[in-house]
């Protein structure tokens, strides 16, 4: 199960994600992200992964797309932080 919630703070939009970012939920997360991008084209985006417990290959691929689009990530925990480091090449 995964939950995604959008928060706005001025020029910053945060997509807060909780649960497991796995193949069954990646499509929903991508839909949320793309919809938010359309609604807030001039905003800076970050994805808060501090509530995420697991990310599979499909989730990593989506995070790579997001990173290439300029999204930054907030992460905690060794596993999730390592995934973020791999996705971003070591930059947050």
């Amino acid at each position: 199960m995964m939950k995604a919630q959008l928060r706005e703070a001025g020029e910053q939009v945060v997509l807060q994600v909780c649960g497991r970012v796995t193949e069954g939920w990646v499509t929903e997360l991508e839909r949320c992200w793309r919809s938010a991008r359309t609604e807030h084209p001039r905003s800076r985006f970050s994805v808060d992964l501090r509530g995420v417990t697991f990310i599979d290959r499909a989730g990593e691929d989506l995070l790579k797309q997001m990173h290439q689009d300029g999204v930054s990530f907030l992460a905690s925990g060794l596993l999730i932080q390592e995934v973020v480091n791999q996705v971003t090449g070591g930059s947050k």
Side-chain angles (χ1 to χ4, degrees):
M1 176 169 273
M2 183 207 69
K3 177 181 170 186
Q5 196 170 22
L6 198 65
R7 291 182 315 198
E8 300 173 47
E11 297 281 323
Q12 180 77 24
V13 175
V14 178
L15 184 58
Q16 184 173 3
V17 183
C18 296
R20 298 171 58 89
V21 181
T22 58
E23 189 172 353
W25 295 100
V26 168
T27 303
E28 180 64 19
L29 180 57
E30 182 175 12
R31 185 193 63 73
C32 290
W33 167 56
R34 294 197 185 280
S35 175
R37 269 293 198 210
T38 300
E39 293 173 18
H40 307 279
R42 299 191 195 291
S43 296
R44 292 186 323 262
F45 274 77
S46 62
V47 176
D48 186 344
L49 300 169
R50 292 177 290 189
V52 171
T53 57
F54 182 76
I55 301 172
D56 71 1
R57 174 62 68 187
E60 287 181 33
D61 290 343
L62 177 58
L63 296 182
K64 286 177 188 174
Q65 290 176 30
M66 291 174 156
H67 177 66
Q68 290 170 350
D69 193 47
V71 171
S72 62
F73 301 101
L74 301 166
S76 64
L78 295 174
L79 175 65
I80 304 306
Q81 187 61 57
E82 180 59 27
V83 170
V84 168
N85 288 342
Q86 289 177 12
V87 164
T88 63
S91 64
K92 271 191 168 181

